[in-house]
Amino acid sequence: MKRFSFLLLSGLMAAFDSGMAASGQPDTVRKCAVPNGKVLSAVYTDASEFTDANRNTITGIPPRTIVKLLLQPAKGSNINVEVWLPNAGRWNGRFVGLGNGGAAGSINPAGFIGWIKRGYAVAATDMGTAPNDNSGVGNPEVWKDFGYRATHLMTTAARQLIQSCYGKPPAFSYFVGASTGGQQALQEAQRYPDDYDGIVANVPAHCRTPLHAYFLWNWQLVRRHPLTPEQDRSIMRSGIEYMAQREIPQLAGKAVSDPRVTPEEIEGVIALAMKNDPSLTPEHAGMLRKIFNGPVNSAGERIFNGVPVGSSILAATGHLYLFRWAFGLEQELAELNFDADMDAYTKKLGPVLNAENPDLSAFARRGGRLVMFSGTADSIVPYHATLDYYERCAAEAGSPEKLQEFFVYYLVPGMEHGINGVTDPFSLLVNWCEKGVRPGEIRLKRQYGEETVDIPLYPYPQKTGYAPERGFFPEPAVRGAAPVAPRYRPEAAE
């Protein structure tokens, strides 16, 4: 009898977890009135396995209600949103909004799984750019969606579904994004400071139109003077070798922790690259000079910074869809210039895509917290414009110390396009928002061949110093970076 009672109780608990706890949950959210759109479907599932796009099977996924929405705030706007809601008994009372990469255009279900396992309600959007990156050609409504609107409306709709499902709003709301997701993150802090309590902006593509001008500049140059992958790697290695004289011993010859370079240093890197790789020609040398200096107009005004020394040049070419948006599919991109064409492109797209407003006072007043990362070996979103943005935020706040009361920034030596080898950014954010522990020293741990580099990192404007008699210590970093000319950073527009 006891065994029967135990089995019955176990069965009831399993039923509660997998179904009964969610009885009515899909119906409740399906009936939720969503401004500017509608609920397309709300389906409860207890499927515990998922196979991702790479055919990896993920197990142990808890039961959830998956809600799909279509938001149409204007004619020509079609924003897809997906929200995963854990059973009420598993919900931790918190919400996470997820960012995208590239031109977006889709929602990756695999990205929800880690969050739902931890009890978060989680949402993502395709940013209104489905089915592909040509969706924005000549369509200003898509420009707005991709720039800022889709993320905000996703957030508003998800919070309404959470209220409907659980009968209360989330205790804390977080946004986590990298690259394009970093653009989304900073747009949220700047335009919609009440949406999120805490934000992670990793390698943010916030200086969007100048960044894509950099891609075009590099693409045009490499198109005229092609580089092989091996030549690209050789140039990278030469940059790291040349800059080793600047580094602490743990990083020397492995990474460039500060690739801001003088004209003389650029010449030194090029000379060493030519020496190390005889296949590089004088034409390549001239190209490298322009690539490391970065795009400028004919008057010498800076449009963006150059490829960081010690990072991949080939990775920094392409990504040209914004020029198709601005000029149409018939435009020959190789013929675009960096004067009148760049002005026209900037005027159309800059005010809605760029997240450059340094005034974060509204976000600070509501108690928001922001953690941002850049990698010094990231040539896809070089950190120079982000560093300059942070300095402008510090000036707006009154000082770096005032800014760090709600916004901290880490420059990660040798990090490419994504978080790797450093303390989990989200845990830093949660501890700050929920426990009042402001991020300070974190660890960088990365493998270089058979050698492990394990060093502390400090929030900018400090960097990691080292002396044999002292060990590691924080010291002042070189401040600032060559700014993008103001004409290429127009004020935000609705």
Side-chain angles (χ1 to χ4, degrees):
M1 186 67 179
K2 288 181 179 180
R3 177 174 173 78
F4 175 78
S5 299
F6 174 77
L7 291 173
L8 178 61
L9 178 61
S10 298
L12 287 171
M13 291 176 66
F16 179 83
D17 186 51
S18 64
M20 292 182 184
S23 62
Q25 187 165 297
D27 288 336
T28 299
V29 297
R30 196 178 292 120
K31 296 173 184 176
C32 184
V34 178
N36 303 305
K38 58 186 175 182
V39 176
L40 298 178
S41 65
V43 178
Y44 177 79
T45 178
D46 59 2
S48 62
E49 292 188 358
F50 177 84
T51 302
D52 65 17
N54 297 318
R55 298 185 179 180
N56 298 312
T57 299
I58 305 168
T59 61
I61 309 170
R64 64 273 182 201
T65 296
I66 298 175
V67 188
K68 296 184 179 182
L69 308 97
L70 177 63
L71 308 180
Q72 296 174 304
K75 185 177 180 180
S77 171
N78 295 281
I79 304 165
N80 290 291
V81 172
E82 190 164 319
V83 184
W84 286 21
L85 301 168
N87 286 357
R90 286 181 175 268
W91 184 44
N92 64 13
R94 292 152 177 83
F95 162 58
V96 171
L98 301 180
N100 297 73
S106 63
I107 296 171
N108 177 18
F112 292 73
I113 293 173
W115 300 103
I116 205 81
K117 282 185 173 184
R118 296 161 67 181
Y120 289 91
V122 58
T125 172
D126 69 354
M127 299 182 75
T129 57
N132 56 53
D133 59 21
N134 284 336
S135 63
V137 175
N139 188 341
E141 297 302 329
V142 170
W143 306 348
K144 292 177 185 177
D145 291 339
F146 182 74
Y148 60 89
R149 185 166 59 187
T151 310
H152 172 61
L153 294 182
M154 170 200 82
T155 303
T156 301
R159 290 173 64 90
Q160 287 177 308
L161 293 176
I162 289 168
Q163 177 72 48
S164 177
C165 178
Y166 305 115
K168 60 182 179 180
F172 291 92
S173 296
Y174 299 108
F175 187 86
V176 179
S179 194
T180 291
Q183 166 198 304
Q184 295 170 264
L186 291 180
Q187 289 281 28
E188 281 293 307
Q190 293 168 22
R191 290 178 181 262
Y192 307 105
D194 292 328
D195 277 0
Y196 291 99
D197 301 290
I199 293 173
V200 173
N202 179 29
V203 295
H206 62 97
C207 195
R208 193 87 206 194
T209 51
L211 172 65
H212 283 250
Y214 154 92
F215 291 142
L216 178 68
W217 175 270
N218 298 331
W219 176 78
Q220 288 184 351
L221 287 165
V222 172
R223 189 170 181 266
R224 292 194 292 268
H225 308 290
L227 281 176
T228 67
E230 181 50 42
Q231 286 172 327
D232 187 34
R233 288 190 289 269
S234 179
I235 296 165
M236 290 170 60
R237 290 192 294 266
S238 296
I240 293 170
E241 179 184 348
Y242 185 86
M243 301 297 284
Q245 57 192 319
R246 283 190 182 183
E247 301 298 334
I248 62 175
Q250 293 79 4
L251 293 175
K254 302 178 184 67
V256 180
S257 61
D258 183 358
R260 287 169 289 182
V261 287
T262 65
E264 293 75 22
E265 287 169 327
I266 289 175
E267 294 304 321
V269 170
I270 293 172
L272 183 58
M274 300 287 287
K275 176 183 175 182
N276 288 342
D277 189 342
S279 73
L280 294 172
T281 66
E283 289 74 23
H284 282 126
M287 177 190 74
L288 291 174
R289 196 167 289 116
K290 292 181 178 180
I291 281 178
F292 288 139
N293 276 296
V296 294
N297 63 21
S298 60
E301 292 178 295
R302 179 161 299 284
I303 301 173
F304 202 70
N305 297 92
V307 169
V309 169
S311 66
S312 170
I313 292 169
L314 292 181
T317 64
H319 316 289
L320 303 180
Y321 53 90
L322 293 189
F323 296 98
R324 296 195 297 273
W325 290 12
F327 298 112
L329 297 176
E330 302 305 316
Q331 173 65 51
E332 175 51 66
L333 301 185
E335 296 176 357
L336 289 175
N337 64 57
F338 291 83
D339 290 305
D341 290 339
M342 200 54 55
D343 288 338
Y345 154 80
T346 299
K347 183 178 180 180
K348 285 184 177 181
L349 298 180
V352 293
L353 298 191
N354 297 340
E356 286 286 295
N357 184 358
D359 183 2
L360 299 176
S361 56
F363 183 69
R365 282 195 301 271
R366 61 93 66 206
R369 299 291 182 263
L370 177 54
V371 182
M372 186 166 72
F373 289 80
S374 290
T376 65
D378 184 359
S379 64
I380 298 176
V381 182
Y383 78 85
H384 308 85
T386 304
L387 178 61
D388 177 63
Y389 173 70
Y390 191 77
E391 286 284 3
R392 286 185 283 118
C393 288
E396 185 74 27
S399 69
E401 293 73 23
K402 280 296 219 182
L403 183 62
Q404 286 182 343
E405 291 177 5
F406 68 94
F407 183 7
V408 296
Y409 178 40
Y410 292 92
L411 287 170
V412 184
M415 187 177 84
E416 298 175 346
H417 194 57
I419 284 291
N420 52 71
V422 296
T423 305
D424 172 26
F426 187 69
S427 66
L428 296 175
L429 183 67
V430 170
N431 285 336
W432 196 5
C433 289
E434 301 188 21
K435 300 178 182 178
V437 180
R438 185 169 69 190
E441 178 184 323
I442 63 174
R443 302 300 297 188
L444 168 64
K445 190 172 184 179
R446 187 177 295 119
Q447 200 73 21
Y448 291 92
E450 296 183 357
E451 185 177 350
T452 300
V453 170
D454 187 353
I455 63 174
L457 295 181
Y458 306 96
Y460 179 85
Q462 291 183 320
K463 68 173 185 175
T464 304
Y466 177 81
E469 65 278 6
R470 286 182 64 184
F472 297 107
F473 55 90
E475 63 179 4
V478 175
R479 296 282 297 275
V484 172
R487 69 186 294 170
Y488 300 113
R489 294 188 283 104
E491 289 189 8
E494 291 299 325

